[in-house]
Amino acid sequence: MATPASERVLVVEDERKIADAIITGLRAANFEVLHSSSGEDAFFVLHSQHPDMMVLDLGLPGRSGMELLRQVRSMSDPIPILILTSNSSLDDRVTALDAGADDFLLKPFSMAELAARLRALSRRGKAVASSAAYQLDDLEINIDTRTAWRAGAKLELTLREFDLLIYLFQNKGRTVSREMLARDVWHETSRFTPIDNVIDVQMTRLRRKLDDPFPVKLLRTVRGVGFILGEPEA
């Protein structure tokens, strides 16, 4: 699938051979690629050249990938971030998601899958940017600015949490299963990818921001089935 050349990806990878392979592969997939070999340099490139997406290795020398991820999100920078890691532990994935990562790819990986995941991240951002605003009870979502408000209070959502909220809105009043979320929000193509725990963690974080501070609850768990966003129960 072709990729518009205007999509600029910052690849943050210190291992030269891996970086060269990623750069070559993404350029062949029609991405424009920037490269940094350290967290310090990546931070400078982010703010001087404003790439559209970032591919971030966690195992960087000096300032780690996790430190860079947390710093970027602490500054409310919404850039989509795909994490590359050789550590497949659930705890590490959950930690990075909690810190604001949008997607994961385990090393070793195929270039075709990396390019496909970046195209998916790009489509998600553009899809929500071109949609209309949503409202449910005292919850309001501004798609253009990717912001959500409840009872006049702004909700500080990560990119993934915002995508989850949009998907729940698009299926308002219907029960959304974990399988649907894995397929349509995480874009997992394998039924055997164990991400149910990751989904549960993200839903818990969304609920904590969306419902916990407010007396009226909009997001409910349907035991053994999934989740539903809807009008408050009478």
Side-chain angles (χ1 to χ4, degrees), residues 14-230:
D14 63 307
E15 295 188 34
R16 191 67 240 185
K17 287 185 178 179
I18 297 176
D20 286 346
I22 294 173
I23 291 168
T24 300
L26 291 184
R27 284 176 177 164
N30 210 29
F31 287 95
E32 181 179 342
V33 184
L34 307 171
H35 174 238
S36 291
S37 58
S38 71
E40 289 79 4
D41 183 65
F43 189 75
F44 173 78
V45 173
L46 276 173
H47 293 90
S48 61
Q49 301 194 47
H50 306 290
D52 300 301
M53 292 176 281
M54 180 161 61
V55 175
L56 178 61
D57 176 35
L58 289 182
L60 298 172
R63 183 187 301 182
S64 71
M66 189 66 73
E67 289 176 293
L68 177 61
L69 172 63
R70 290 191 170 114
Q71 187 169 19
V72 169
R73 293 304 187 225
S74 71
M75 299 174 69
S76 300
D77 188 332
I79 183 173
I81 299 176
L82 184 149
I83 296 293
L84 291 180
T85 179
S86 57
N87 192 335
S88 61
S89 76
L90 176 61
D91 286 347
D92 281 358
R93 297 176 71 179
V94 169
T95 299
L97 287 171
D98 281 348
D102 298 296
D103 202 357
F104 271 89
L105 198 54
L106 299 178
K107 297 179 180 178
F109 55 87
S110 77
M111 280 306 310
E113 183 174 7
L114 174 59
R117 285 179 178 271
L118 290 175
R119 286 192 292 267
L121 282 178
S122 176
R123 286 196 300 272
R124 283 161 49 198
K126 290 175 181 176
V128 293
S130 62
S131 302
Y134 294 99
Q135 183 160 6
L136 172 65
D137 199 66
D138 60 355
L139 172 63
E140 299 177 42
I141 298 177
N142 186 313
I143 304 303
D144 292 334
T145 59
R146 293 183 64 80
T147 53
W149 303 75
R150 270 208 74 175
K154 184 179 179 182
L155 307 179
E156 299 294 341
L157 303 178
T158 66
L159 178 64
R160 180 70 78 188
E161 291 161 357
F162 193 85
D163 288 343
L164 271 174
L165 184 57
I166 290 295
Y167 188 77
L168 290 165
F169 249 112
Q170 291 170 338
N171 292 277
K172 184 173 59 177
R174 299 175 52 202
T175 300
V176 172
S177 68
R178 291 174 180 80
E179 186 177 36
M180 293 167 65
L181 293 172
R183 181 192 65 209
D184 298 332
V185 179
W186 269 262
H187 304 288
E188 291 290 350
T189 57
S190 171
R191 291 174 55 84
F192 302 104
T193 305
I195 69 165
D196 280 9
N197 287 338
V198 173
I199 291 173
D200 287 346
V201 168
Q202 287 288 284
M203 293 300 295
T204 298
R205 287 178 55 84
L206 177 60
R207 190 195 309 274
R208 192 177 300 148
K209 298 175 182 180
L210 176 68
D211 270 350
D212 285 2
F214 306 97
V216 175
K217 310 305 179 188
L218 300 177
L219 179 60
R220 300 189 296 278
T221 298
V222 181
R223 187 178 298 277
V225 181
F227 309 92
I228 184 170
L229 183 75

